[in-house]
Amino acid sequence: MPEAPPEPGRLRRQLQEFSRSPGAVTGLAVLIIIIVLAVFASVISPQDPYDLTQLDILDGRLPPGSESFSGLVYHLGTDSQGRDILSGILYGLRTSLTVGILSAFAAAIIGTTVGLIAAYIGGRTENALMRLVDLQLSFPTILMALMMLAILGKGVLNVVIALIIAEWATYARTVRATALVEREKEYIEAARSFRLPGWRILFRHLLPNCLAPVIVIATMQVARAIGLEATLSFLGLGASVTEPSLGMLISNGYQYLLTGLYWISFFPGIALLVTIVSINLVGDRLRDVLNPRNT
């Protein structure tokens, strides 16, 4: 059965090309560390910042390096509720990465499927689907997310759903453009001549050759989703009070920025910035490496 398999050694060349960028390698290393810290937050954190029984209001607004009456050292200080900022950041990273990865992955599945179907079937089906995509893209992402959260309410799961609805159209448009080129190639014509089912041609032959742009977009969308979740939580529409979030930590300290209590917002903001930048460094390099013009 004629197909378009990857060239021998192509993956090796792409990995070598990726490793030639110090920025991308550094970003990947930092991202791995962040993921490990997020996964093992409950083990590493000196405090469960959202267990009210572990909080002491007398420890509120302590500067970095302070020690509590119980002997616990707050390396990054505490917020107004006596919550350890370092522990809050570690738990917040878990929430932010979960929202970013889940929303990007689900949106990629939906958008890729819509794009493949539109490109392969064509005709009225393609027109209808792409008009839906155009309608979706006509709304700013943050506005769409706000509209959905106004309907669904607060909560991490609702934020994920809102981001999926707001982001799937980007994948659909990109995959359709790539699939329109691929469907005219000989291996697709050969598959049709064998009278293979349409679903098999779509997902067994066409999809693998459209994955490169999907991988790049998904990487970028993880960073974008993390930033959007932080924005929504900062506005009070994202994660609930019982669910840690970097955006919520930044919001908790915003009112104290001009009073000298900088650490309440500053350190969570730095953690958010480092996470987004590291993901973008990896995504930028993947875009260069997976660009067919460079292979």
Coordinates of all heavy atoms in Angstrom, one line a residue, residues 30 34 76 85-86 89-90 93 96 226 230 246-247 249-250 257 262-279:
V30 N 14.5 23.7 31.6 CA 13.7 24.4 32.6 C 12.3 23.9 32.6 O 11.7 23.7 33.7 CB 13.7 26.0 32.3 CG1 12.8 26.7 33.2 CG2 15.1 26.5 32.4
I34 N 10.3 22.3 35.7 CA 9.0 22.9 36.2 C 7.9 21.7 36.2 O 7.1 21.7 37.2 CB 8.5 24.0 35.2 CG1 9.4 25.2 35.4 CG2 7.0 24.3 35.4 CD1 9.1 26.3 34.4
L76 N 10.1 32.3 50.4 CA 9.6 33.4 49.5 C 8.5 34.2 50.2 O 7.9 35.0 49.6 CB 9.0 32.8 48.3 CG 10.0 32.0 47.4 CD1 9.3 31.5 46.1 CD2 11.2 32.8 47.1
I85 N 4.3 31.3 50.0 CA 4.3 31.6 48.6 C 5.0 30.5 47.8 O 4.5 30.2 46.7 CB 5.0 32.9 48.4 CG1 4.3 34.1 49.1 CG2 5.2 33.3 46.9 CD1 2.9 34.3 48.6
L86 N 6.1 29.9 48.3 CA 6.7 28.9 47.6 C 5.8 27.7 47.4 O 5.7 27.1 46.2 CB 8.0 28.4 48.3 CG 8.8 27.2 47.7 CD1 9.2 27.6 46.3 CD2 9.9 26.9 48.6
I89 N 3.2 28.5 44.8 CA 3.7 28.5 43.4 C 3.8 27.1 42.9 O 3.4 26.8 41.7 CB 5.1 29.2 43.4 CG1 5.0 30.7 43.6 CG2 5.8 28.9 42.0 CD1 6.3 31.4 43.7
L90 N 4.3 26.1 43.7 CA 4.4 24.7 43.3 C 3.0 24.1 42.9 O 2.8 23.5 41.9 CB 5.1 23.9 44.3 CG 6.6 24.3 44.6 CD1 7.1 23.4 45.7 CD2 7.4 24.1 43.3
L93 N 1.7 25.9 39.8 CA 2.3 25.3 38.5 C 1.5 24.1 38.1 O 1.3 23.9 36.9 CB 3.7 25.0 38.8 CG 4.7 26.2 38.8 CD1 6.1 25.7 39.2 CD2 4.7 26.9 37.5
S96 N -1.8 25.3 36.5 CA -1.5 25.9 35.2 C -1.1 25.0 34.1 O -1.7 25.1 33.0 CB -0.4 27.0 35.4 OG -0.8 28.0 36.3
I226 N -2.0 28.8 29.4 CA -1.5 29.1 30.8 C -1.6 30.6 31.0 O -2.1 31.0 32.1 CB 0.0 28.6 30.9 CG1 0.0 27.1 30.9 CG2 0.6 29.2 32.2 CD1 1.4 26.5 31.0
A230 N -4.2 32.3 33.7 CA -3.7 33.3 34.8 C -4.5 34.6 34.7 O -4.8 35.2 35.7 CB -2.2 33.5 34.6
L246 N -1.6 30.3 39.7 CA -0.6 31.4 39.7 C -1.3 32.7 39.5 O -0.9 33.7 40.1 CB 0.4 31.1 38.6 CG 1.4 30.0 38.7 CD1 2.3 29.8 37.5 CD2 2.2 30.1 40.0
G247 N -2.3 32.7 38.7 CA -3.0 34.0 38.5 C -3.7 34.4 39.7 O -3.8 35.6 40.0
L249 N -2.7 33.8 42.8 CA -1.6 34.2 43.7 C -1.2 35.7 43.4 O -1.0 36.5 44.3 CB -0.4 33.3 43.7 CG -0.6 31.9 44.2 CD1 0.6 31.1 44.0 CD2 -1.0 31.9 45.7
I250 N -1.1 35.9 42.1 CA -0.7 37.3 41.6 C -1.8 38.3 42.0 O -1.6 39.4 42.5 CB -0.5 37.3 40.1 CG1 0.7 36.4 39.8 CG2 -0.3 38.7 39.6 CD1 0.9 36.2 38.3
L257 N 1.1 45.8 46.2 CA 2.3 46.1 45.4 C 2.9 47.4 45.8 O 4.1 47.6 45.9 CB 2.0 46.1 43.9 CG 1.9 44.7 43.3 CD1 1.6 44.8 41.8 CD2 3.3 43.9 43.4
Y262 N 6.0 43.3 48.0 CA 6.1 43.0 46.6 C 6.1 41.5 46.4 O 5.7 41.0 45.3 CB 7.4 43.5 46.1 CG 8.7 42.9 46.7 CD1 9.2 41.8 46.1 CD2 9.2 43.4 47.9 CE1 10.4 41.2 46.7 CE2 10.3 42.8 48.4 CZ 10.9 41.7 47.8 OH 12.0 41.1 48.4
W263 N 6.6 40.7 47.4 CA 6.8 39.3 47.1 C 5.5 38.5 46.9 O 5.6 37.4 46.3 CB 7.6 38.7 48.3 CG 6.9 38.8 49.7 CD1 5.9 38.0 50.2 CD2 7.0 39.9 50.6 NE1 5.5 38.5 51.4 CE2 6.2 39.6 51.7 CE3 7.8 41.0 50.6 CZ2 6.1 40.4 52.8 CZ3 7.8 41.8 51.8 CH2 6.9 41.6 52.8
I264 N 4.4 39.0 47.4 CA 3.2 38.2 47.2 C 2.8 38.0 45.8 O 2.3 37.0 45.4 CB 2.0 38.9 48.0 CG1 2.4 39.1 49.5 CG2 0.7 38.2 47.9 CD1 1.3 39.8 50.3
S265 N 3.0 39.0 45.0 CA 2.7 38.9 43.5 C 4.0 38.7 42.7 O 3.9 38.1 41.6 CB 2.0 40.2 43.0 OG 0.7 40.3 43.5
F266 N 5.1 39.2 43.2 CA 6.3 39.2 42.4 C 6.8 37.7 42.0 O 7.0 37.4 40.9 CB 7.4 39.9 43.1 CG 8.7 39.9 42.3 CD1 8.9 40.7 41.2 CD2 9.8 39.1 42.8 CE1 10.1 40.7 40.5 CE2 11.0 39.1 42.1 CZ 11.2 39.9 41.0
F267 N 6.9 36.9 43.0 CA 7.4 35.6 42.8 C 6.5 34.7 42.0 O 7.0 34.0 41.1 CB 7.8 34.9 44.2 CG 9.0 35.5 44.8 CD1 8.8 36.2 46.1 CD2 10.2 35.5 44.2 CE1 9.9 36.8 46.7 CE2 11.3 36.1 44.9 CZ 11.2 36.8 46.1
P268 N 5.2 34.7 42.2 CA 4.3 34.0 41.3 C 4.3 34.5 39.9 O 4.3 33.7 38.9 CB 2.9 34.2 41.9 CG 3.2 34.4 43.4 CD 4.4 35.2 43.4
G269 N 4.5 35.8 39.8 CA 4.6 36.4 38.4 C 5.9 35.9 37.7 O 5.9 35.6 36.5
I270 N 7.0 35.8 38.5 CA 8.2 35.3 37.9 C 8.1 33.8 37.5 O 8.5 33.4 36.4 CB 9.4 35.4 38.9 CG1 9.7 36.9 39.1 CG2 10.6 34.7 38.4 CD1 10.2 37.6 37.9
A271 N 7.4 33.0 38.3 CA 7.2 31.6 38.0 C 6.3 31.5 36.7 O 6.6 30.7 35.8 CB 6.5 30.9 39.1
L272 N 5.3 32.3 36.6 CA 4.5 32.3 35.4 C 5.3 32.7 34.2 O 5.2 32.1 33.1 CB 3.3 33.3 35.6 CG 2.3 33.4 34.4 CD1 1.6 32.1 34.1 CD2 1.3 34.5 34.7
L273 N 6.1 33.8 34.3 CA 6.9 34.2 33.2 C 7.9 33.2 32.7 O 8.0 32.9 31.5 CB 7.6 35.5 33.6 CG 8.6 36.1 32.6 CD1 7.9 36.6 31.3 CD2 9.4 37.3 33.2
V274 N 8.6 32.6 33.7 CA 9.6 31.5 33.3 C 8.9 30.4 32.6 O 9.4 29.8 31.6 CB 10.3 31.1 34.6 CG1 11.2 29.8 34.3 CG2 11.2 32.2 35.1
T275 N 7.7 30.0 33.1 CA 7.0 28.8 32.5 C 6.6 29.1 31.0 O 6.9 28.3 30.1 CB 5.8 28.5 33.3 OG1 6.1 28.2 34.6 CG2 5.0 27.3 32.7
I276 N 6.1 30.3 30.8 CA 5.6 30.7 29.5 C 6.8 30.8 28.5 O 6.8 30.4 27.4 CB 4.7 31.9 29.5 CG1 3.4 31.6 30.2 CG2 4.5 32.5 28.1 CD1 2.5 32.9 30.4
V277 N 7.8 31.5 29.0 CA 9.0 31.7 28.1 C 9.7 30.4 27.8 O 10.1 30.2 26.6 CB 10.0 32.7 28.8 CG1 11.4 32.7 28.1 CG2 9.5 34.1 28.9
S278 N 9.8 29.5 28.7 CA 10.5 28.2 28.4 C 9.7 27.4 27.4 O 10.2 26.8 26.5 CB 10.6 27.4 29.7 OG 9.4 27.1 30.3
I279 N 8.3 27.4 27.5 CA 7.5 26.7 26.5 C 7.6 27.4 25.1 O 7.7 26.7 24.1 CB 6.0 26.7 27.0 CG1 5.9 25.9 28.2 CG2 5.1 26.1 25.9 CD1 4.5 25.9 28.8

